[in-house]
Amino acid sequence: MKIALLGAGHIGQTIARLLHATGDYQVTVLDKNAGYLKVLAAEGIATAEVDSDNRAALAAQLRGKDAVVNALPYHLAITAAELALECGCHYFDLTEDVAATKAIKDMAKGARTAFMPQCGLAPGFIGIVAHHLASGFDSVRDVQMRVGALPAFPTNALKYNLTWSVDGLINEYCHSCEAIHEGETIAALPLEGLEHFSLDGTEYEAFNTSGGLGTLCETWAGKVRNLDYKTVRYPGHRDLMQFLLGDLGLKSDQGNLKDIMRKSMPATMQDVVLVFVTVSGMKNGVLLQEVFARKIFATRDGAQPLSAIQITTAAGICAAVDLFREGKLPQQGFVRQEEVALPDFLANRFGSAYQQSRQVESIS
């Protein structure tokens, strides 16, 4: 299967290596950063230096490919999907942006190829888990999804290090959040809905952020009482972000905030990803609750150390592409994450990264 991979950043490089190593994919990585491409080329992976703003040059590289895998920033998702449609390619991406996903869903209507956005961790794997658990109940009351990508050793006041895209981080903190409350679909405010809990003796907080639900609100409309998604951080993070975005007015000056964070907040490869889903409802006349909880850690095995967010994000989109290639997903039109069967995902050679993680032992 011929793949055009857009983006050679940390996540893009991981995707390229995973797909290339199987021998089942002919991967060509497209990026404007010659330094990133040089590293991959040295490993025998095909590359092409292309500016993502040059539509004609991108289209020329996409023609003849079977699929586009987009690991570019979220604001380029619509352009990438449009070019995939124009060139007759299947399309997969990692976007958490709600507006981009809706636009891609519209352009997928009547398409002869498949369009599957939101193939990462959240949205992505978290929705696959929630849908699988909820589908096992006779009737569903509450679905709660909590995900955090966190530094293993926080040292600053925000108790945070850059573990993924700054653009994506600020985007999810600034846009309204879909949810279902008492049977009605609502738009909740970001950074609201603060709650606290502990996993394995460590204290965390969780609050509303945008995009994590994917298409679950639409899929479960009229079938669930409450359904929501919240991002997990260490206690105190939410209050400081509210101060920066609200009191200092940086919500309307996001470029400045992103520059500040890039210059003052170091990235880390030593991180942990938390996945915590609870579903309650009726089974055989009894009110029950089921929980799926995982911790995924960074690894230093092999030649390339991988952060937990690299592992989980790349595993999500590579598993989606792999399951599609095997014919286990729809082959045209818009494909939702909840159309992926959780057992198929976890049994997949890429999705098994979530199986190899440690299950949470205690929750309170």
Side-chain angles (χ1 to χ4, degrees), residues 265-281:
M265 189 170 294
T268 183
M269 294 291 287
Q270 297 171 289
D271 64 341
V272 58
V273 165
L274 307 181
V275 178
F276 180 31
V277 181
T278 65
V279 179
S280 63

Side-chain angles (χ1 to χ4, degrees), residues 176-362:
S176 61
C177 315
E178 287 185 314
I180 296 176
H181 178 71
E182 298 298 330
E184 299 292 331
T185 300
I186 64 169
L189 292 174
L191 303 180
E192 296 297 328
L194 183 66
E195 61 188 37
H196 293 86
F197 62 97
S198 65
L199 299 177
D200 289 346
T202 301
E203 295 296 322
Y204 300 97
E205 66 182 24
F207 48 86
N208 299 335
T209 55
S210 174
L213 284 177
T215 55
L216 283 176
C217 279
E218 181 178 341
T219 298
W220 284 90
K223 304 173 187 176
V224 62
R225 184 177 66 180
N226 297 301
L227 184 151
D228 62 27
Y229 168 85
K230 296 183 181 182
T231 287
V232 177
R233 297 286 184 256
Y234 295 115
H237 178 91
R238 192 287 304 253
D239 289 348
L240 287 175
M241 289 307 305
Q242 277 195 326
F243 171 73
L244 291 170
L245 291 165
D247 294 0
L248 295 188
L250 291 175
K251 183 176 181 179
S252 58
D253 189 9
Q254 293 179 30
N256 189 24
L257 177 58
K258 292 171 187 177
D259 286 341
I260 291 170
M261 294 186 74
R262 290 190 181 103
K263 292 175 182 177
S264 62
M265 189 170 294
T268 183
M269 294 291 287
Q270 297 171 289
D271 64 341
V272 58
V273 165
L274 307 181
V275 178
F276 180 31
V277 181
T278 65
V279 179
S280 63
M282 302 298 294
K283 279 189 180 182
N284 300 318
V286 179
L287 179 62
L288 296 174
Q289 182 184 70
E290 290 193 9
V291 176
F292 181 101
R294 292 285 191 278
K295 281 186 178 180
I296 301 95
F297 295 92
T299 176
R300 295 192 175 274
D301 297 335
Q304 296 291 339
L306 294 175
S307 66
I309 193 64
Q310 280 179 292
I311 293 168
T312 52
T313 305
I317 197 165
C318 287
V321 173
D322 217 29
L323 292 170
F324 175 82
R325 185 185 66 86
E326 294 171 352
K328 295 181 178 179
L329 292 174
Q331 300 294 295
Q332 63 184 49
F334 186 79
V335 184
R336 304 168 187 265
Q337 291 301 312
E338 50 267 37
E339 292 182 75
V340 178
L342 180 62
D344 287 346
F345 183 98
L346 295 176
N348 180 266
R349 54 185 165 180
F350 302 117
S352 62
Y354 285 90
Q355 286 280 52
Q356 297 164 5
S357 63
R358 182 166 65 82
Q359 294 193 34
V360 173
E361 296 174 355
S362 60

